[in-house]
Short mmCIF file of all heavy atoms in Angstrom, two decimals:
data_model
loop_
_atom_site.label_atom_id
_atom_site.label_comp_id
_atom_site.label_asym_id
_atom_site.label_seq_id
_atom_site.Cartn_x
_atom_site.Cartn_y
_atom_site.Cartn_z
N GLY A 1163 163.26 95.13 155.83
CA GLY A 1163 162.15 95.44 154.92
C GLY A 1163 161.02 94.41 154.96
O GLY A 1163 159.98 94.64 154.34
N LEU A 1164 161.21 93.28 155.81
CA LEU A 1164 160.04 92.29 155.93
C LEU A 1164 159.43 92.47 157.17
O LEU A 1164 160.03 92.72 158.30
CB LEU A 1164 160.59 90.96 155.87
CG LEU A 1164 159.67 89.80 155.87
CD1 LEU A 1164 159.00 89.79 154.54
CD2 LEU A 1164 160.38 88.46 156.16
N ALA A 1165 158.07 92.63 157.16
CA ALA A 1165 157.25 93.00 158.37
C ALA A 1165 155.92 92.28 158.28
O ALA A 1165 155.59 91.76 157.21
CB ALA A 1165 156.99 94.56 158.31
N PRO A 1166 155.34 92.06 159.50
CA PRO A 1166 154.02 91.40 159.42
C PRO A 1166 153.12 92.10 158.46
O PRO A 1166 153.07 93.36 158.31
CB PRO A 1166 153.52 91.66 160.83
CG PRO A 1166 154.87 91.70 161.64
CD PRO A 1166 155.78 92.50 160.87
N GLY A 1167 152.38 91.33 157.74
CA GLY A 1167 151.45 91.92 156.71
C GLY A 1167 152.09 91.78 155.38
O GLY A 1167 151.30 91.97 154.27
N ALA A 1168 153.46 91.59 155.18
CA ALA A 1168 154.06 91.46 153.94
C ALA A 1168 153.54 90.26 153.14
O ALA A 1168 153.06 89.28 153.78
CB ALA A 1168 155.60 91.37 154.14
N GLY A 1169 153.45 90.27 151.91
CA GLY A 1169 152.94 89.24 151.21
C GLY A 1169 153.69 87.99 151.07
O GLY A 1169 154.98 87.99 151.13
N VAL A 1170 153.05 86.87 150.85
CA VAL A 1170 153.76 85.55 150.55
C VAL A 1170 153.19 85.26 149.21
O VAL A 1170 152.00 85.16 148.87
CB VAL A 1170 153.33 84.43 151.50
CG1 VAL A 1170 153.75 83.06 151.09
CG2 VAL A 1170 153.75 84.86 152.93
N LYS A 1176 149.88 86.40 144.99
CA LYS A 1176 149.87 86.38 146.44
C LYS A 1176 148.93 85.35 146.96
O LYS A 1176 147.70 85.26 146.60
CB LYS A 1176 149.19 87.81 146.87
CG LYS A 1176 149.35 87.97 148.42
CD LYS A 1176 148.92 89.28 148.97
CE LYS A 1176 149.02 89.29 150.41
NZ LYS A 1176 148.58 90.53 150.96
N GLY A 1178 149.30 84.43 150.61
CA GLY A 1178 149.29 84.52 152.03
C GLY A 1178 149.98 85.79 152.46
O GLY A 1178 150.19 86.77 151.78
N GLN A 1179 150.34 85.76 153.82
CA GLN A 1179 150.97 86.97 154.39
C GLN A 1179 151.94 86.44 155.53
O GLN A 1179 151.71 85.55 156.15
CB GLN A 1179 149.92 88.02 154.80
CG GLN A 1179 149.14 87.56 155.94
CD GLN A 1179 148.08 88.69 156.36
OE1 GLN A 1179 148.09 89.60 155.77
NE2 GLN A 1179 147.27 88.31 157.35
N VAL A 1180 152.81 87.42 155.69
CA VAL A 1180 153.75 87.16 156.91
C VAL A 1180 152.91 87.63 158.23
O VAL A 1180 152.16 88.65 158.29
CB VAL A 1180 154.97 88.02 156.84
CG1 VAL A 1180 155.88 88.01 158.10
CG2 VAL A 1180 155.77 87.64 155.60
N THR A 1181 152.89 86.83 159.24
CA THR A 1181 152.27 87.06 160.53
C THR A 1181 153.20 87.51 161.55
O THR A 1181 152.76 88.33 162.39
CB THR A 1181 151.42 85.86 160.98
OG1 THR A 1181 152.39 84.79 161.16
CG2 THR A 1181 150.30 85.50 159.99
N GLU A 1182 154.41 87.17 161.58
CA GLU A 1182 155.26 87.57 162.70
C GLU A 1182 156.81 87.28 162.28
O GLU A 1182 157.13 86.45 161.57
CB GLU A 1182 155.00 86.73 163.86
CG GLU A 1182 155.55 87.14 165.18
CD GLU A 1182 155.04 86.40 166.34
OE1 GLU A 1182 153.93 85.72 166.22
OE2 GLU A 1182 155.60 86.51 167.39
N VAL A 1183 157.61 88.37 162.66
CA VAL A 1183 159.14 88.10 162.46
C VAL A 1183 159.74 88.14 163.90
O VAL A 1183 159.49 89.05 164.65
CB VAL A 1183 159.62 89.26 161.63
CG1 VAL A 1183 161.22 89.08 161.42
CG2 VAL A 1183 158.94 89.32 160.26
N LEU A 1202 157.17 83.72 160.68
CA LEU A 1202 156.02 83.02 160.67
C LEU A 1202 155.03 83.55 159.58
O LEU A 1202 154.89 84.69 159.53
CB LEU A 1202 155.24 82.97 162.05
CG LEU A 1202 155.92 82.28 163.20
CD1 LEU A 1202 157.15 82.82 163.61
CD2 LEU A 1202 154.87 82.14 164.30
N TRP A 1203 154.54 82.69 158.80
CA TRP A 1203 153.66 83.15 157.71
C TRP A 1203 152.53 82.10 157.51
O TRP A 1203 152.67 80.97 158.00
CB TRP A 1203 154.46 83.36 156.43
CG TRP A 1203 155.45 82.31 156.02
CD1 TRP A 1203 156.54 81.94 156.48
CD2 TRP A 1203 155.15 81.26 155.02
NE1 TRP A 1203 157.24 80.88 155.93
CE2 TRP A 1203 156.32 80.37 154.93
CE3 TRP A 1203 154.18 80.97 154.08
CZ2 TRP A 1203 156.45 79.41 154.04
CZ3 TRP A 1203 154.33 79.99 153.18
CH2 TRP A 1203 155.50 79.25 153.14
N GLU A 1204 151.59 82.56 156.69
CA GLU A 1204 150.42 81.77 156.43
C GLU A 1204 149.96 81.82 155.13
O GLU A 1204 150.25 82.74 154.42
CB GLU A 1204 149.20 82.25 157.45
CG GLU A 1204 148.71 83.54 157.12
CD GLU A 1204 147.60 84.07 158.15
OE1 GLU A 1204 147.52 83.40 159.14
OE2 GLU A 1204 147.00 85.16 157.86
N GLU A 1239 160.17 93.84 146.95
CA GLU A 1239 158.91 94.16 146.28
C GLU A 1239 159.05 95.56 145.63
O GLU A 1239 158.47 95.74 144.65
CB GLU A 1239 157.81 94.17 147.24
CG GLU A 1239 156.38 94.38 146.64
CD GLU A 1239 155.16 93.99 147.57
OE1 GLU A 1239 155.51 93.36 148.52
OE2 GLU A 1239 154.06 94.18 147.07
N LYS A 1245 160.74 97.42 150.69
CA LYS A 1245 159.85 96.32 151.32
C LYS A 1245 160.10 95.04 150.54
O LYS A 1245 160.43 94.96 149.43
CB LYS A 1245 158.42 96.70 151.21
CG LYS A 1245 157.96 97.88 152.01
CD LYS A 1245 156.49 98.20 151.93
CE LYS A 1245 155.98 99.15 152.86
NZ LYS A 1245 154.58 99.40 152.88
N LYS A 1246 160.02 93.91 151.37
CA LYS A 1246 160.20 92.54 150.90
C LYS A 1246 159.09 91.71 151.22
O LYS A 1246 158.09 92.06 151.88
CB LYS A 1246 161.48 91.96 151.60
CG LYS A 1246 162.72 92.73 151.21
CD LYS A 1246 163.89 92.05 151.90
CE LYS A 1246 165.20 92.76 151.47
NZ LYS A 1246 166.33 92.18 152.07
N TYR A 1247 159.05 90.69 150.43
CA TYR A 1247 158.05 89.62 150.57
C TYR A 1247 158.64 88.26 150.59
O TYR A 1247 159.87 88.15 150.13
CB TYR A 1247 156.91 89.78 149.59
CG TYR A 1247 157.40 89.42 148.18
CD1 TYR A 1247 157.15 88.23 147.56
CD2 TYR A 1247 157.84 90.45 147.33
CE1 TYR A 1247 157.62 88.00 146.31
CE2 TYR A 1247 158.28 90.21 145.99
CZ TYR A 1247 158.19 89.01 145.53
OH TYR A 1247 158.58 88.61 144.32
#
Side-chain angles (χ1 to χ4, degrees):
L1164 187 68
V1170 173
K1176 185 175 179 184
Q1179 67 182 359
V1180 173
T1181 56
E1182 199 171 336
V1183 180
L1202 287 69
W1203 50 281
E1204 64 187 11
E1239 186 159 355
K1245 288 187 177 183
K1246 294 186 179 178
Y1247 67 93

